Amino acid sequence: GKYPRFSEAVIFSIHKKYLARLAACPVVSADCAWPDVIPDTMAANFWISSHCNHWLLDKNRVRQAYARDRDTFSETEIRKLHIHYAQFIQTLGKNLKMRQRLVATAIVYFKRFYIKNSLLHYDPRLIAPTALYLASKVEECPLQAKLVCIKLKSMDPSYPYSVSDLLECEFFMLEEMNFYLIVYHAYRPLMQFLS
């Protein structure tokens, strides 16, 4: 019952403010192809992981998930809001001197959370730093929640959430993602491909 802290109208006005700034933001989409042969002898096998089995969603499933928000925002506005908050996570991670892999995991967690939830029901200004905090634990580079909140207050003095809100939201976020925390990034295969 503690979330949402703000009414839908307040969160809507915050999103509209960000959308006004993002009016010229390009939206990129990419399609993914499945391989013909699935390798079954790997130390960490992507093809049997929770990432592959629960979080690879087709465009129709994503559109269905965002249907709750399409009553208020256009599809382009929803994409732009996701881009804005991904950039917010990126900026926060950079200010906290976090590795890119950790930041990428946080962005994935943020997107996973909003596949199941509406942007209007849960304030992304709390979910985004919570995703970064959770990702820091998963990627074995733990941050102190207090440090995250101090950095957020220095970036935005009007930031409304406290350390206890962040810690409580962490457990809520874990539940919403069904505790599936495995994320496979393309960094290692990409480096192998380029070499």
Side-chain angles (χ1 to χ4, degrees), residues 85-146:
Y85 287 110
Q87 289 173 339
F88 173 75
I89 293 169
Q90 183 77 36
T91 303
L92 180 59
K94 187 176 182 180
N95 287 340
L96 291 167
K97 297 178 177 27
M98 296 285 98
R99 296 183 331 231
Q100 180 58 39
R101 183 181 178 93
L102 186 150
V103 172
T105 300
I107 292 169
V108 170
Y109 289 167
F110 180 84
K111 290 181 181 241
R112 285 180 180 181
F113 181 85
Y114 282 108
I115 285 293
K116 289 188 163 189
N117 297 287
S118 170
L119 285 164
L120 292 173
H121 293 157
Y122 300 98
D123 191 353
R125 294 176 303 158
L126 176 60
I127 301 301
T130 302
L132 187 69
Y133 177 66
L134 180 59
S136 75
K137 291 180 173 183
V138 172
E139 295 291 337
E140 298 177 358
C141 186
L143 282 169
Q144 292 180 350
K146 184 177 180 181

Side-chain angles (χ1 to χ4, degrees), residues 15-84:
H15 292 324
K16 280 298 185 185
K17 179 179 77 173
Y18 291 137
L19 284 170
R21 287 190 210 159
L22 299 169
C25 182
V27 178
V28 179
S29 66
D31 291 323
C32 177
W34 288 89
D36 293 333
V37 178
I38 298 175
D40 57 6
T41 54
M42 291 174 53
N45 193 336
F46 171 79
W47 304 107
I48 59 173
S49 71
S50 61
H51 184 148
C52 179
N53 293 317
H54 299 284
W55 292 110
L56 290 185
L57 308 173
D58 62 8
K59 288 181 183 180
N60 291 330
R61 172 65 177 94
V62 173
R63 281 191 188 109
Q64 288 172 357
Y66 295 153
R68 297 176 296 270
D69 293 325
R70 264 191 272 131
D71 295 340
T72 311
F73 303 110
S74 71
E75 202 164 317
T76 303
E77 289 174 326
I78 293 169
R79 284 190 198 137
K80 287 182 179 183
L81 284 168
H82 279 272
I83 289 168
H84 168 75

